[in-house]
Amino acid sequence: MTGVIDLAWWQLAIAAALVLSLAGCMQLARVGLGGSLLVAAARTVVQLSLIGLVLEALFAVGALGWIVLMAFAMLLLAGREVMARQKYRLVGGWAFGIGTVSMFVSAFSVTVLTLVAVIGPDPWYSPQYAIPLLGMLLGNTMTGVALSLDRLTESAWRERAVIEHRLMLGQTWHEAIGEMRRSAMRSGMIPIINAMAAAGIVSLPGMMTGQILAGSPPAVAVEYQILIMFTISAGTGFGTMVAVSMGSRRLFDARERLRIDRLDSR
Amino acid sequence: MQEPALQLEGVSIGALSDIDLAIAPGEVVCLSGPSGSGKSRLLRAVADLEAHGGRIRLGDRDQAAMHAHAWRRAVMLVPAESQWWHERVGEHFARDMPETLAELGFEAEVVEWSISRLSSGEKQRLALVRALSYDPEALLLDEPTANLDAQSTARVETWLTRLIRERRLPVLWVAHDPSQIERVGSRHLRIAGDRLESAL
């Protein structure tokens, strides 16, 4: 196995020079994104450096309590992000609550299952495995949950007259919104299905690339990448189903009335 | 066996409060009033699509004691603007309605028609056929002939009144046209402020 070549800061500066020259060219060509590019690049440096420090500390301590705290901080940030990506939100904290609960149910249980039953590090919550795994799962589940909830609430808002007319004919709330639930679940699942279908052909997945750069044999990197793809699709799929089920139930009350007043448009 | 008849006791919704109304089997109660006075909302309350006060019964069954979807199928609200969600007309019907379609002047192939080619008048008549295909026990009609010409209106009125009589359906019919109210209504109620008053 080859050792990892550590990067010095001046070596990163060469890469940074590339970004700076790109910003300069964009400025000359009046593309107008030079500023945003530099701000985003700066954010990358600051945010990743900070998380690097946090992870260094976490790996050094390795206590379950701190890892759980970190995991919940990640979960709440993901929940906030899910809420921010919806145009029509369920009022009363439900937009945040449903997103967070569904990600908790799917991403957390899939992570724990993978750690305990598949990878089996010692201890099972070893942060070197637990945190990256949870991060990947949360990131992807977040995308799926956000897309599906946004699709669900947006289509319920747009098609509220259709839903109500279906109710008038005696359909249950379940039947009246069934088509929208299915299309919401599809839109949450499509990104990961596409990613799995294209993996290795169109692009080398980022995690695998990173692992190979870090010196792993490609065969091991491939195994981990397959594991990650499968867990991500399970996490995203179950998270999407939970979120859409809870969200669509919340759009109706106990008398199966469509409660469009529970949606707030941004 | 007690016949189904529609009964409202102390119903309140929006501006309307404490509405009492009993509709006998086969009776058509016409409801009129200025726009925004709450005609449609009263129908929505009877169909339990909006939260409301008071008690509503169909025969000896209480609205609150029935599953909401079963109640709505029984009282059957037909709104002024119909909605269509499947590709073809026929997919929306609970069962085939060939005689009814013929009676309203449609050819039999109308069930194969695409929704996008329907005119607003055709939609309105087909929405009535669709509602009746579910065999409701009462009808809540919100301006059922608003988009129709005189000839179609007459046809729809004849068909509806005969069917209402045959099936002994209690009917709440929102209408504007005084001559139509004269033709179809057993009684005529007008919304005045927060209550209903007899317009006879």
Side-chain angles (χ1 to χ4, degrees), chain B residues 45-94:
Chain B
V46 177
D48 208 4
L49 282 164
E50 273 187 48
H52 57 88
R55 192 172 170 206
I56 302 176
R57 280 184 304 166
L58 183 66
D60 51 5
R61 285 166 300 166
D62 209 292
Q63 183 188 62
M66 282 177 76
H67 285 300
H69 58 271
W71 170 267
R72 284 185 200 119
R73 179 178 281 228
V75 297
M76 194 53 74
L77 169 58
V78 187
E81 283 291 325
S82 65
Q83 302 292 329
W84 302 82
W85 41 93
H86 295 302
E87 193 59 37
R88 309 198 170 282
V89 172
E91 294 173 79
H92 295 82
F93 293 169

Side-chain angles (χ1 to χ4, degrees), chain A:
Chain A
M1 212 169 127
T2 36
V4 186
I5 307 169
D6 195 4
L7 295 179
W9 285 105
W10 66 267
Q11 288 166 312
L12 285 178
I14 297 175
L18 283 175
V19 176
L20 277 175
S21 60
L22 173 64
C25 288
M26 284 167 85
Q27 207 61 42
L28 285 177
R30 298 187 186 187
V31 181
L33 276 175
S36 311
L37 177 71
L38 289 182
V39 170
R43 281 188 63 167
T44 297
V45 173
V46 173
Q47 287 166 198
L48 289 183
S49 304
L50 283 177
I51 199 67
L53 291 177
V54 171
L55 288 181
E56 291 262 3
L58 202 62
F59 285 14
V61 179
L64 182 59
W66 286 107
I67 296 165
V68 169
L69 190 70
M70 174 77 182
F72 272 94
M74 289 161 72
L75 176 69
L76 293 181
L77 285 173
R80 208 192 71 91
E81 187 65 22
V82 165
M83 188 180 68
R85 289 191 199 173
Q86 291 172 59
K87 184 157 188 286
Y88 300 96
R89 295 173 189 161
L90 283 163
V91 295
W94 285 86
F96 177 78
I98 289 174
T100 308
V101 166
S102 54
M103 283 189 289
F104 177 74
V105 169
S106 66
F108 271 55
S109 42
V110 171
T111 303
V112 171
L113 182 80
T114 310
L115 284 173
V116 173
V118 184
I119 306 179
D122 183 37
W124 67 268
Y125 53 82
S126 167
Q128 186 200 337
Y129 291 91
I131 294 298
L133 195 61
L134 181 66
M136 293 241 223
L137 269 161
L138 266 182
N140 285 278
T141 310
M142 179 181 81
T143 305
V145 167
L147 280 174
S148 62
L149 278 180
D150 186 49
R151 168 66 74 91
L152 178 76
T153 50
E154 199 264 342
S155 57
W157 180 278
R158 188 163 30 86
E159 311 244 332
R160 54 193 188 276
V162 167
I163 297 174
E164 286 216 310
H165 206 144
R166 283 172 166 253
L167 293 175
M168 288 172 204
L169 291 175
Q171 295 192 354
T172 62
W173 70 269
H174 216 264
E175 294 167 316
I177 202 167
E179 195 49 54
M180 288 162 218
R181 282 164 62 115
R182 284 187 285 278
S183 91
M185 285 182 196
R186 276 196 292 273
S187 65
M189 284 297 291
I190 280 171
I192 180 62
I193 291 176
N194 287 345
M196 284 204 291
I201 301 176
V202 183
S203 64
L204 287 183
M207 190 207 82
M208 191 175 114
T209 314
Q211 213 176 341
I212 293 173
L213 282 178
S216 278
V220 175
V222 164
E223 284 168 4
Y224 269 91
Q225 187 61 50
I226 292 174
L227 175 71
I228 288 292
M229 286 291 204
F230 284 1
T231 51
I232 284 177
S233 65
T236 309
F238 288 124
T240 301
M241 288 170 96
V242 171
V244 170
S245 301
M246 288 169 64
S248 56
R249 184 71 194 90
R250 182 66 196 157
L251 287 171
F252 297 87
D253 64 15
R255 294 298 295 170
E256 302 183 56
R257 300 179 189 118
L258 177 65
R259 294 297 299 272
I260 213 72
D261 58 307
R262 288 178 180 171
L263 287 181
D264 183 21
S265 89
R266 205 164 20 153

